Amino acid sequence: MAEDEFDNFMERVTEVENLVKMLRCSDQKASDRAGRRAELLLRARQTSAKAQDDLLEGEGCAKPHPTLSCRDRTVINYKAFQQMGESRDPQEMSKEAFMAQVEKDAKIRAKDRQDRKQRSAQLKAKANEAFRQKKFEKALDFYNKAIDETRDSALLYENRALTLLHLELFQRVIDDCERALSLNDKSLKALLYKAKALFLINQEGNSEECLFEALQKYPQHHNLIQDYKKSWMNGKES
């Protein structure tokens, strides 16, 4: 292996090591980013294998059976080395072991994400029903659990913010609205709920800024925004 090839290989190994660590970390966003990166690496690996097959076919060489994956060819090559009485390069084995782990973890993460989304949807439905019944404490509990399962849903933060408004927990309303806006900067509900919460803690200037931003983003909803503002200024329930 040439020196530059070795350096490139070690860089890839380091990247894979870091990905494996991030896939297992408790930070969901970091773990999801690592999962997406791992999937890109796997696709690149599969594309490279296909290119090699195409090259072999173009040179008149026998192409591997179409049902064999990259992993299948690796097994065949390993057996060939054994038959030749030669040991494999331990660095190459390390790379393949890491890639196999990345592939395994990516599948586990994908299944876990799907399961969490399903649990979150079920909890959100229960929260919505409790909210309709004006059982706001119960609704809050279900929204908390739903968000624990899926932390990247602007809608969940919007719904919880409205629940917190009814419970008069205004600073928490503002926090949830800011989270919702970080996920969806065009969230009209988050802007309006935040504006109301700011008004109710006597931050009228900041409240007006939120309303102005809402009007800038949604001029077609001018009347709705103004009516919502009047409802809390007149002491009406949202």
Side-chain angles (χ1 to χ4, degrees):
M1 181 182 291
E3 184 176 352
D4 57 343
E5 292 177 334
F6 177 77
D7 289 341
N8 289 335
F9 163 70
M10 291 307 297
E11 288 179 5
R12 291 195 299 273
V13 169
T14 300
E15 181 179 15
V16 172
E17 284 180 321
N18 291 334
L19 282 174
V20 171
K21 290 177 182 177
M22 291 179 68
L23 284 165
R24 294 171 175 169
C25 77
S26 58
D27 186 330
Q28 183 179 328
K29 288 186 178 180
S31 182
D32 288 344
R33 284 197 300 271
R36 290 192 292 271
R37 176 59 182 161
E39 288 163 5
L40 288 174
L41 284 175
L42 290 170
R43 283 199 293 270
R45 185 186 181 203
Q46 292 166 355
T47 301
S48 176
K50 182 179 184 302
Q52 290 178 0
D53 288 346
D54 292 342
L55 179 61
L56 287 172
E57 187 175 32
E59 293 177 350
C61 299
K63 187 176 180 180
H65 192 280
T67 60
L68 294 178
S69 65
C70 296
R71 184 179 295 175
D72 294 326
R73 286 193 293 274
T74 298
V75 172
I76 291 172
N77 290 337
Y78 182 36
K79 290 180 179 178
F81 273 105
Q82 287 180 320
Q83 291 169 357
M84 293 169 62
E86 298 178 7
S87 62
R88 298 192 66 196
D89 184 343
Q91 292 172 341
E92 182 66 18
M93 292 178 67
S94 176
K95 181 182 72 172
E96 292 188 1
F98 278 127
M99 292 306 296
Q101 185 63 51
V102 168
E103 183 176 8
K104 179 181 177 181
D105 284 356
K107 290 179 180 178
I108 292 173
R109 294 296 301 176
K111 178 65 165 59
D112 181 59
R113 283 196 298 271
Q114 184 61 33
D115 290 345
R116 283 189 280 108
K117 284 183 179 180
Q118 290 178 355
R119 291 194 296 269
S120 181
Q122 293 169 354
L123 290 163
K124 181 169 77 72
K126 293 179 180 180
N128 291 346
E129 180 59 29
F131 184 91
R132 282 191 289 270
Q133 297 175 7
K134 299 187 183 300
K135 298 178 180 178
F136 301 122
E137 291 282 0
K138 185 175 181 180
L140 178 60
D141 182 56
F142 281 126
Y143 282 130
N144 289 341
K145 292 176 180 177
I147 288 172
D148 283 342
E149 296 289 349
T150 308
R151 295 183 178 275
D152 59 355
S153 169
L155 178 60
L156 283 175
Y157 286 113
E158 292 168 1
N159 289 359
R160 189 169 72 175
L162 181 57
T163 303
L164 291 165
L165 264 177
H166 284 274
L167 293 170
E168 299 184 358
L169 298 171
F170 302 127
Q171 185 55 55
R172 290 178 62 185
V173 172
I174 295 167
D175 293 341
D176 268 4
C177 289
E178 289 177 350
R179 291 189 185 100
L181 289 165
S182 72
L183 294 165
N184 175 17
D185 62 359
K186 296 182 179 179
S187 171
L188 178 58
K189 289 181 179 179
L191 287 169
L192 294 180
Y193 299 159
K194 182 180 178 182
K196 179 175 181 177
L198 287 166
F199 179 84
L200 293 173
I201 60 173
N202 300 316
Q203 293 189 27
E204 296 183 18
N206 291 332
S207 176
E208 287 295 332
E209 287 181 8
C210 280
L211 291 173
F212 179 76
E213 184 178 351
L215 287 168
Q216 289 291 104
K217 290 181 176 179
Y218 294 98
Q220 70 273 29
H221 295 315
H222 179 274
N223 291 339
L224 181 151
I225 294 169
Q226 291 299 329
D227 288 345
Y228 189 71
K229 176 183 177 181
K230 290 176 183 177
S231 74
W232 78 63
M233 292 187 72
N234 294 334
K236 295 180 181 178
E237 185 178 5
S238 62

